């Protein structure tokens, strides 16, 4: 029985990793992050023309997904819409893309999940909390550790063993 459970866990992990192709297709292809200028700030440019659409005003800018992009201002992440309007106030240490109306966020070394209204669906308590479907989140216990240089961290695919999945 334990062997079967491990196979199911790894099967879910494989599906998640393959499913990231659909993650990429959900990204708003018209606007791309563009950083630079005198202070190295980030905004968003039209993919085809390169023209800045959302002014450079963010410390970091992530790609759009489901109409929202995670941005950092004064060291904290929140979300903007395609017009550059802040829709979820910057209050997280790190923020991932939306998938199925949910996004992984990090606060004090733990991840959780919010919905597109900024409401916590799962409070920060895990090493990873990846939305798998709109009703299922893959989680891993522990504290989050980045594999990137400081200031370049991002919430990547979950590596390792899943401790459980569940409808939330």
């Amino acid at each position: 029985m334990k062997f079967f459970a491990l196979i199911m866990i790894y099967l879910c992990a494989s599906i998640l990793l393959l499913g990231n192709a659909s993650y990429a297709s959900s990204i708003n292809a018209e606007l791309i992050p563009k950083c630079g200028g005198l202070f190295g700030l980030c905004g968003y440019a039209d993919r085809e023309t390169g023209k800045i659409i959302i002014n450079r005003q963010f410390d970091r800018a992530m790609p759009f997904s489901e109409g929202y992009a995670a941005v950092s201002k004064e060291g904290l992440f929140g979300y903007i819409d395609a017009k550059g309007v802040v829709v979820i106030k910057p209050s997280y240490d790190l923020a991932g893309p939306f998938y199925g109306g949910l996004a992984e966020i990090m606060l004090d070394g733990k991840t959780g999940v919010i919905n597109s209204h900024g409401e916590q669906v799962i409070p920060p308590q895990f090493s990873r909390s990846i939305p798998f479907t709109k009703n299922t989140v893959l989680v891993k216990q522990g504290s989050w550790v980045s594999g990137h240089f400081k200031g370049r961290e991002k919430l990547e695919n979950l590596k390792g063993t899943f401790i459980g999945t569940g409808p939330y």
Side-chain angles (χ1 to χ4, degrees):
M1 187 66 166
K2 186 176 181 182
F3 179 73
F4 178 74
L6 285 173
I7 289 176
M8 291 305 293
I9 288 170
Y10 286 110
L11 178 62
C12 288
S14 299
I15 292 170
L16 174 66
L17 294 174
L18 292 173
N20 279 339
S22 64
Y23 226 79
S25 68
S26 70
I27 294 173
N28 184 337
E30 298 169 7
L31 296 177
I32 58 171
K34 194 80 164 183
C35 303
L38 181 61
F39 299 106
L41 295 176
C42 302
Y44 290 86
D46 179 274
R47 179 181 295 281
E48 289 187 25
T49 67
K51 179 182 174 188
I52 298 293
I53 304 298
I54 298 173
N55 289 332
R56 292 179 173 146
Q57 57 189 301
F58 308 108
D59 302 328
R60 289 184 64 195
M62 304 299 207
F64 272 87
S65 62
E66 296 187 9
Y68 302 104
V71 295
S72 171
K73 234 179 181 181
E74 298 178 16
L76 295 175
F77 280 86
Y79 292 85
I80 62 169
D81 64 16
K83 294 180 182 177
V85 175
V86 174
V87 293
I88 298 174
K89 179 183 172 184
S91 53
Y92 304 105
D93 297 331
L94 201 52
F98 273 90
Y99 182 76
L102 302 173
E104 181 180 22
I105 50 87
M106 185 182 71
L107 192 57
D108 298 327
K110 299 285 187 174
T111 68
V113 175
I114 61 170
N115 63 23
S116 58
H117 301 290
E119 301 163 335
Q120 285 188 8
V121 176
I122 299 175
Q125 59 186 306
F126 298 106
S127 162
R128 293 305 309 270
S129 308
I130 300 174
F132 187 64
T133 70
K134 71 194 279 192
N135 296 317
T136 305
V137 174
L138 301 175
V139 299
K140 181 179 179 185
Q141 287 185 326
S143 292
W144 182 82
V145 178
S146 174
H148 297 279
F149 293 111
K150 186 166 176 57
R152 293 290 173 216
E153 303 92 346
K154 56 184 171 180
L155 295 170
E156 295 182 301
N157 293 337
L158 182 60
K159 297 174 183 170
T161 305
F162 302 109
I163 60 156
T165 62
Y168 293 95

